[in-house]
Amino acid sequence: MTRRSVTAHYPDVAPELPPRSRGVIGLFEENCTVCMLCARECPDWCIYIDSHKETVPPVAPGGRERSRNVLDRFAIDFSLCMYCGICIEVCPFDALFWSPEFEYAETDIRELTHERDRLREWMWTVPEPPALDERAEEPKEVGAARKAAEKAAERLAAENAESAENAENAENAENAEESGAADGEEQP
């Protein structure tokens, strides 16, 4: 009673949402390997996935063909979804994310089943993850990748130095042969 009331002018002014608000689920299709973990773990069975297998030619000559799953359909029925986030947590390839979009109401409940095109559109509204604490430990994956990159750079530098040394030695040998041939011509 001692404070003035604040009216939210929602349709005209977008509300300020907390950073971790749960709106809808966005799909990053390139990361989806059709492992079906999200559909199996969903307590409401509101995720529908269809796929087919394709054979991939061998990478190197003499290799064998591989088969991989190709995503045909990925749909979420938001009329059944209870927004628990289990599908996002169990996805091993980070293909599902929370998007802060919340304005997706429909007049017909059958239209709340959103296919992968709509889920992909929501993916681009997913906010950037918060920055890591500067005093936090470096993640093991980042440390391993950094060490591997440093070793590869050292190996490349060593190979470059060795090839430069070989080229210099070859040049010196050519110069020595030329000077030896020139000395041989002068003395008849």
Side-chain angles (χ1 to χ4, degrees), residues 13-153:
V13 179
E16 296 271 336
L17 296 174
R20 295 186 60 183
S21 60
R22 294 182 177 190
V24 293
I25 298 169
L27 172 67
F28 190 56
E29 194 173 333
E30 289 78 15
N31 285 358
C32 183
T33 60
V34 197
C35 66
M36 307 287 257
L37 276 175
C38 55
R40 276 186 267 156
E41 296 296 324
C42 179
D44 293 332
W45 292 88
C46 65
I47 300 175
Y48 309 109
I49 301 175
D50 292 330
S51 68
H52 70 277
K53 289 196 181 270
E54 278 185 359
T55 56
V56 179
V59 177
R64 67 182 180 110
E65 291 184 341
R66 306 273 181 186
S67 65
R68 69 179 183 108
N69 287 328
V70 177
L71 186 66
D72 292 330
R73 179 180 186 224
F74 193 104
I76 299 176
D77 188 354
F78 285 105
S79 65
L80 296 175
C81 183
M82 64 179 181
Y83 303 93
C84 63
I86 292 174
C87 57
I88 295 170
E89 292 175 16
V90 299
C91 182
F93 300 103
D94 290 334
L96 298 173
F97 294 91
W98 281 116
S99 170
E101 293 292 317
F102 62 93
E103 299 173 316
Y104 56 96
E106 301 288 346
T107 55
D108 188 4
I109 196 169
R110 291 173 289 200
E111 294 176 5
L112 281 173
T113 301
H114 296 298
E115 298 292 331
R116 69 182 185 179
D117 297 333
R118 184 88 184 262
L119 299 175
R120 187 182 316 119
E121 289 173 15
W122 283 326
M123 183 59 212
W124 308 121
T125 64
V126 172
E128 288 288 323
L132 296 174
D133 185 13
E134 52 197 41
R135 292 172 286 149
E137 265 185 43
E138 183 179 51
K140 293 177 185 175
E141 296 87 2
V142 173
R146 184 178 40 74
K147 287 178 184 175
E150 288 173 357
K151 285 182 182 178

